[in-house]
């Protein structure tokens, strides 16, 4: 059973609507990753955090997404204006260290943009 | 440029055979190479991982073979079982980097 908790499991949004997903990392894990997994199972890195600080993010995330990992609150990933191409499984993962350690994935939030 | 390449895209083997999944990487500074598996409807989970201090890592029926010179590593699943049917992802990362790069996955089907 995953100890990384993601909500909601599914969300359906119209084009142009906001879509927000949340993630509670495994306890004691300071690093959180967000990935987008498309229908071909391909992973796209979106952003990662160490504690509350953004470590890296891709251009798309910077422009159309907002993400945060506040202390004592779930991490969140929000698409400001959903597009059809955003339909995917959004996976949150946490780890003890930046890399070279196991990623523990949540069950994902599946976004469908209609 | 894709940092981690994986092949084949799909693989079908019979129960009892050895399944071989391949990965190659670009950046010679990568120093951690995990394999994850993902069953339908579930999230990816770590299966086995290797660091380049060794060229082989074994865990039960699962073995990673690592070739630093050629920047390749492979996952061998011995005595494949139908329950091994899943999508397998290789990945690579560098200790000083914050990114973990995934391959595009190999969909393995083990026929009884």
């Amino acid at each position: 059973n995953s100890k990384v908790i993601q909500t909601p499991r599914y969300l359906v949004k119209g084009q142009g609507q906001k879509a927000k997903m949340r993630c509670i990392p495994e306890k004691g894990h300071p690093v959180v990753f967000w990935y987008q997994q498309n229908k071909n199972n391909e992973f796209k890195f979106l952003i990662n955090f160490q504690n509350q600080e953004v470590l890296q993010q891709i251009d798309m995330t910077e422009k159309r997404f907002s993400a945060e990992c506040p202390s004592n609150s779930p991490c969140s990933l929000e698409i400001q204006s959903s597009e059809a191409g955003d339909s995917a499984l959004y996976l949150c993962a946490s780890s003890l260290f930046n890399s070279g350690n196991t990623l523990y994935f949540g069950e994902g939030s599946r976004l469908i943009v209609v | 440029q894709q940092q981690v390449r994986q092949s084949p895209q799909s693989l079908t083997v019979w129960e009892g055979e050895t399944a071989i999944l391949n990965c190659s990487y670009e950046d010679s500074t990568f120093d951690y190479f995990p394999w994850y598996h993902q069953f339908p409807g579930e999230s990816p989970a770590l299966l086995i991982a290797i660091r380049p201090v060794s060229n082989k890592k074994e865990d039960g029926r699962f073995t990673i073979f690592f070739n630093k010179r050629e920047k390749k590593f492979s996952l061998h699943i011995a005595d494949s079982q139908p329950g091994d049917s899943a999508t397998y992802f290789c990945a690579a990362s560098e200790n000083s980097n914050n990114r973990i790069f995934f391959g595009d996955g190999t969909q393995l089907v083990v026929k009884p």
Side-chain angles (χ1 to χ4, degrees):
Chain A
N1 289 332
S2 175
K3 295 181 182 177
V4 175
I5 308 299
Q6 285 191 250
T7 57
R9 289 294 305 277
Y10 300 92
L11 62 167
V12 180
K13 297 292 178 181
Q15 295 194 47
Q17 288 188 314
K18 287 187 180 182
K20 189 168 186 175
M21 295 154 271
R22 291 177 176 82
C23 171
I24 301 175
E26 185 159 340
K27 191 174 182 180
H29 285 191
V31 184
V32 173
F33 294 78
W34 284 98
Y35 286 91
Q36 180 194 66
Q37 189 177 31
N38 65 20
K39 61 182 179 180
N40 296 322
N41 281 333
E42 296 160 352
F43 283 89
K44 178 189 281 186
F45 168 83
L46 296 177
I47 190 170
N48 60 357
F49 293 83
Q50 182 162 355
N51 297 313
Q52 293 80 53
E53 300 295 321
V54 174
L55 294 175
Q56 288 186 339
Q57 60 182 323
I58 62 172
D59 282 350
M60 179 180 82
T61 309
E62 198 167 347
K63 291 173 183 172
R64 298 202 302 112
F65 292 57
S66 64
E68 59 178 1
C69 267
S71 60
N72 301 318
S73 292
C75 298
S76 64
L77 178 71
E78 184 173 34
I79 305 173
Q80 299 301 311
S81 177
S82 300
E83 300 174 356
D86 296 330
S87 297
L89 181 68
Y90 289 82
L91 288 165
C92 174
S94 70
S95 75
L96 280 170
F97 299 108
N98 292 349
S99 62
N101 267 278
T102 303
L103 289 183
Y104 294 87
F105 285 89
E107 292 184 326
S109 292
R110 184 167 296 281
L111 171 66
I112 299 170
V113 181
V114 297
Chain B
Q1 184 185 24
Q2 192 164 359
Q3 292 290 334
V4 177
R5 297 180 190 276
Q6 195 170 345
S7 65
Q9 191 173 14
S10 62
L11 176 64
T12 299
V13 299
W14 293 102
E15 183 174 357
E17 291 184 331
T18 297
I20 300 175
L21 292 68
N22 300 299
C23 250
S24 63
Y25 61 96
E26 293 295 322
D27 194 336
S28 57
T29 63
F30 289 150
D31 58 8
Y32 179 66
F33 304 92
W35 283 90
Y36 289 80
H37 58 177
Q38 185 175 22
F39 296 97
E42 296 184 14
S43 54
L46 180 72
L47 178 62
I48 187 173
I50 194 169
R51 294 187 184 276
V53 292
S54 62
N55 56 19
K56 182 180 176 182
K57 175 78 175 288
E58 207 167 346
D59 184 358
R61 296 186 295 109
F62 302 93
T63 303
I64 299 177
F65 292 94
F66 182 78
N67 186 323
K68 188 174 183 177
R69 184 179 60 82
E70 295 186 9
K71 295 193 283 187
K72 292 180 179 179
F73 59 109
S74 60
L75 175 68
H76 291 224
I77 305 174
D79 188 25
S80 296
Q81 302 295 309
D84 296 330
S85 298
T87 302
Y88 290 77
F89 295 93
C90 61
S93 66
E94 180 193 352
N95 204 35
S96 61
N97 193 305
N98 300 318
R99 298 273 295 271
I100 298 174
F101 297 92
F102 284 87
D104 288 339
T106 293
Q107 189 168 2
L108 174 66
V109 174
V110 181
K111 290 189 172 181

